[in-house]
Amino acid sequence: MKFLHILFTAVLLQSINLKAQNKETNFVNNQAVSQTIKGTVIDKSTKLPLSGVTIKLNVGESSRELSTDQWGAFRINGVSIGRYVLEASLVGYKKVTLSELLITSGKESVLALEMEYQSNDLDEVVVIGGADRKPLNQMAMTSGRSFSPEETNRYAGAAFDPARMAQSFAGVVAAGDNNEIIVRGNSPKSLQWRLEGIEIVNPNHFGNEGSSGGGISMLNTTVLSTSDFYTGGLPAEYGNALSGAFDLKFRKGNTEKKEFALTAGILGVGATLEGPFSKGLNASYLISYRYSSLSLLEKAGLSVASDGVPKYQDLSFNFVIPTARAGTFSLFGIGGLSNINDNAERDHTTWKERFDGRDAKFGYDAGSLGLKHLFIASKKVYFNNVISYSASRSSFTVDSLTTSYKAILRDKSLNDNNTIRYAGSMNYSINPANTIRAGINASFLGFNVFTENFDPLSNSLRELVNHEGNTSSYDAFIQHRAQISSKLTLNTGVHANYFRLSESLSIEPRFGINWQIAADQQLSFGTGVYSRLEPLSYYYAKDRLFPSQNSARLKPTKSAQATVGYEKQFRNNLKFKTEAYYQHLYAVPVSVDPNINLSLLDVSDHSAIYSSSYRQLINKGTGKNYGIEFSLEKPLSSGYYFMLSSSLFDSKFKALSKQEFNTGFNTNYVANLISGKEWKTGKNQNNLFGMNAKLIYAGGRKYSPVNLAESIRLDQEVIDESRVNTLTTDPYVRVDFSASYRINSKKVGHFIIMDIQNVINRENVMGMHYNPSKRIMEERTWTGIIPTLNYRIEF
């Protein structure tokens, strides 16, 4: 902590007398420090290159201008270090504007721009530079936005993690101090992760079985490109998602020169390599690897944690190989290994509670590997095919120690999942204003789920689930996007899903509309039906009263939702946006016992099977989420940015008792404020110093009162089923802060960032729990201050 105080003081002193300047040319030792900007521009509907596109690079009152060649390529050499506004314009297309393009000395800026057809039968619609952040997927009409890796690196508390960054968006609530997120009152497990157009396994270290998040992301922002995040309103091509989706894209490595980035910090060390396979072939590789430095400190003999040292490593890569006639092939992947071993002190006289005398081991290994093929058949048709393999292994073991330190197994869980997926689609551009996209998906699921834990009544281990098998799920979709005029765009479609295990067929219509009221105002509306499979543990978990019964015929959970939105663009890149939504959930798995008010809308992973009241599940529950969201956002320009977002919402569920309860995720309200300022500094104004802050203020989480007498009798927590989630914790308050310094020497870039999560060291309460050792109720809290320091060098 003393080190942090010194570092914090140094950061504040660094900010004094810094001046924000807009100069086109910077110099070091009387020599210009410059970099290259290059890229390609293609038609978003056809994926064909666009020639003659005017590329304009603006800084202050100066500008540079050129046009793309016959392959849609452009190149600007000798660009001075700093922030720029880049515009791409072509008659008949909507202008593309990048308002916060960062040029550094250590790495070339490689851009892949897509332009969308603009009907010109009415007045031209001009999007004010950069504040728009429309999704990359042109089929999306509502509840979506794009985000850049640079945003993820910049936001305070994001820790280079897209999920933590998304916690600042309207409609999103932080599920806690981990990176799970609550989207519009839904369980975090209803979120889907996608990479390069196909669903992937949960890409987070230390994730629980069935969860969508974890402690640390496996994603390295050095390999990410601009990607999409949705809080609802998913187009017909998206399946197996009830709430939101991360639709991630990997960038292509540099095709002309080798580039390297090395990172070292408290959370990890790593390296990123990229470059061409061979000059002139336009094929490239991009590889990134990270290893936990916390375990390195442990190996050096330094104690870094009292309850087990988190250890992890991960690998991400993207190999892109274009061909002259057969299309473009890419091999991509992401994977990670993580574990925590928490061993009891080998001195039983120090044990105060039974948990002190236990050894616990937790591990989560996961990865996805994919092969993608993009083939442009003609000026109107292109095909996209992806085949992937995903696997995850979640394990948990707890041993209780005797006073002679003999280990007695108390809990054991081992969940292996593997999936082979295929996603194929065809995109047909009937004309510039009408596009049809259709496709099929197939998922072949293999699993081996096993869990047992100690039963106090029988004083022995009890098997909760033990099944090995396989099943499959099939999807098909078709959607039509019609730009009726420059002001009106429609998207209609339908998604169909067949789940073999329950032999269930789901037909899910989707509809969306955008109406550009004026050049700076837009109305949107979206509605549709969605479904999602539950974690496979729930299909084979045993009923506590009747162990021979399980829920193998369980059907996917369904949701019907509607969203209406309004956007207003102001000057200075300022945008106001509001959305109101209603979501009706049905066919929800709930307990077959009407006296047990368990709904899978109220859990975030597979943990409900541990409850002493767990019973067989049936699809007879319902739920609802409704609310309104507001955001006021100014992207980085003129040296500063901010975003103020807030949400008011309600989240309920009903089980067989038909009594309505809050979900545990119903915080009712959340407000987020993020802001940051950037200054040019250094002898020749080549460097950048930035400060960023984030404030989260959210309603308290709901939790259930405990039946203390019954908990004491059974020696485990038993909740009062008649008062589920009727209690509320204090509001969740967190302040994050980060400060960064970017040094641009002639050919090497240095980036130093200090990020402090929960800088006020507030231990937010997540609820009360029963302590079987003390036989009392105790608070369960999130962690306090989490400081990190990272250094990156690029060359």
Side-chain angles (χ1 to χ4, degrees), residues 45 59 83 101 385 420 520 656 663 703 710 712 719 738 750 781:
S45 295
V59 54
R83 292 274 184 187
L101 182 62
N385 291 279
I420 297 175
D520 58 355
L656 283 191
T663 68
Y703 68 100
E710 193 67 8
I712 293 174
I719 67 170
S738 70
H750 307 267
T781 61

Side-chain angles (χ1 to χ4, degrees), residues 62 74 103 154 170 207 305 312 322 327 333 343 390 406 454 508 540-541 543 573 648 703 705 726 750 795:
S62 303
F74 65 91
I103 307 301
R154 187 195 323 132
Y312 65 88
N343 294 323
S390 294
K406 178 182 178 181
F454 182 77
E508 304 166 3
Y540 293 101
D543 188 299
N573 292 346
L648 302 173
Y703 68 100
T726 54
H750 307 267
F795 56 96

Side-chain angles (χ1 to χ4, degrees), residues 136-212:
L136 300 178
N137 190 330
Q138 65 179 153
M139 298 292 179
M141 298 287 113
T142 62
S143 304
R145 61 168 288 157
S146 61
F147 65 91
S148 68
E150 205 270 331
E151 274 183 277
T152 308
N153 296 343
R154 187 195 323 132
Y155 283 11
F160 310 109
D161 182 350
R164 293 184 187 274
M165 176 206 63
Q167 291 175 353
S168 303
F169 296 158
V172 177
V173 181
D177 292 341
N178 57 18
N179 70 357
E180 282 193 319
I181 57 177
I182 300 165
V183 177
R184 292 180 171 175
N186 288 276
S187 165
K189 66 179 173 59
S190 63
L191 178 79
Q192 183 190 103
W193 289 93
R194 291 163 64 95
L195 178 61
E196 294 296 328
I198 198 165
E199 184 177 354
I200 61 172
V201 71
N202 176 14
N204 292 286
H205 293 295
F206 311 107
N208 291 324
E209 172 67 14
S211 68
S212 65

